[in-house]
């Protein structure tokens, strides 16, 4: 059963290094998603985020706020626990690409000017996890080990 699609999707040789990346990046994405979805941590919630997205030309704003917030919140949870890490990281990488090119790119690199450096770092971390997988101490690893038996 080693050659199954699920085993290939979930298995990883990354060891503990992926865990060191998954935990902080997962927490960051959860917090940013909670801002968009629930208005937590000083965020504006779906209504406010949707209005802002519509104001910069991302329509329909409410729907896109829901999609971005859900990708960040639930994708962050997936990274944190190491469940379906590769697909979650892929969705998060796409979300960061959209953020970079629709919001931040015109402001240059630096965060002080609302630039793309932070989104770029999150993009890089997401791409890393997409290629490496969850590593040890993850639900993915536990499922992959069970499927080999």
């Amino acid at each position: 059963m080693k050659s199954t699609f699920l085993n290939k999707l979930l298995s990883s040789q990354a060891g503990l290094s992926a865990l060191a990346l998954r935990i902080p990046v997962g927490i960051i994405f959860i917090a940013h998603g909670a801002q968009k979805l629930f208005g937590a941590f000083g965020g504006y919630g779906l209504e406010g985020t949707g209005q802002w997205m519509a104001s910069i030309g991302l329509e329909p704003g409410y729907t896109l706020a829901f999609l971005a917030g859900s990708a960040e919140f639930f994708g962050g949870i997936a990274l944190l626990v190491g469940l379906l890490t590769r697909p979650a990281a892929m969705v998060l990488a796409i979300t960061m690409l959209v953020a970079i090119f629709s919001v931040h790119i015109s402001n240059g690199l630096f965060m002080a000017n609302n630039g793309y450096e932070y989104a770029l770092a999150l993009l890089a971390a997401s791409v890393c996890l997409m290629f490496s997988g969850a590593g040890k101490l993850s639900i993915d690893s536990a499922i992959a080990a069970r499927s080999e038996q």
Side-chain angles (χ1 to χ4, degrees), residues 118-143:
Y118 190 63
L120 184 63
L122 291 174
L123 169 64
S126 298
V127 169
C128 251
L129 289 168
M130 186 175 68
F131 287 121
S132 74
K136 290 184 180 179
L137 295 178
S138 67
I139 295 173
D140 285 353
S141 179
I143 293 170

Side-chain angles (χ1 to χ4, degrees), residues 8-125:
K8 287 181 181 180
L9 181 71
L10 301 178
S11 65
S12 173
Q13 301 299 317
L16 294 175
S17 61
L19 178 67
L21 191 56
R22 279 189 4 246
I23 290 174
V25 172
I27 290 169
I28 290 166
F29 275 121
I30 291 167
H32 281 270
Q35 287 180 313
K36 290 173 182 68
L37 293 176
F38 315 120
F41 310 113
Y44 298 107
L46 276 176
E47 194 65 38
T49 304
Q51 289 173 1
W52 174 78
M53 286 184 158
S55 78
I56 64 165
L58 293 173
E59 293 279 359
Y62 187 89
T63 301
L64 292 176
F66 175 76
L67 291 173
S70 295
E72 291 176 354
F73 185 75
F74 295 108
I77 290 171
L79 292 186
L80 188 64
V81 300
L83 176 62
L84 296 173
T85 301
R86 284 187 170 103
M90 184 178 74
V91 169
L92 290 166
I94 292 167
T95 303
M96 290 300 94
L97 281 171
V98 171
I100 289 168
F101 288 108
S102 65
V103 178
H104 301 289
I105 196 81
S106 63
N107 300 317
L109 176 65
F110 297 105
M111 275 179 49
N113 300 323
N114 196 28
Y116 60 89
E117 73 175 313
Y118 190 63
L120 184 63
L122 291 174
L123 169 64

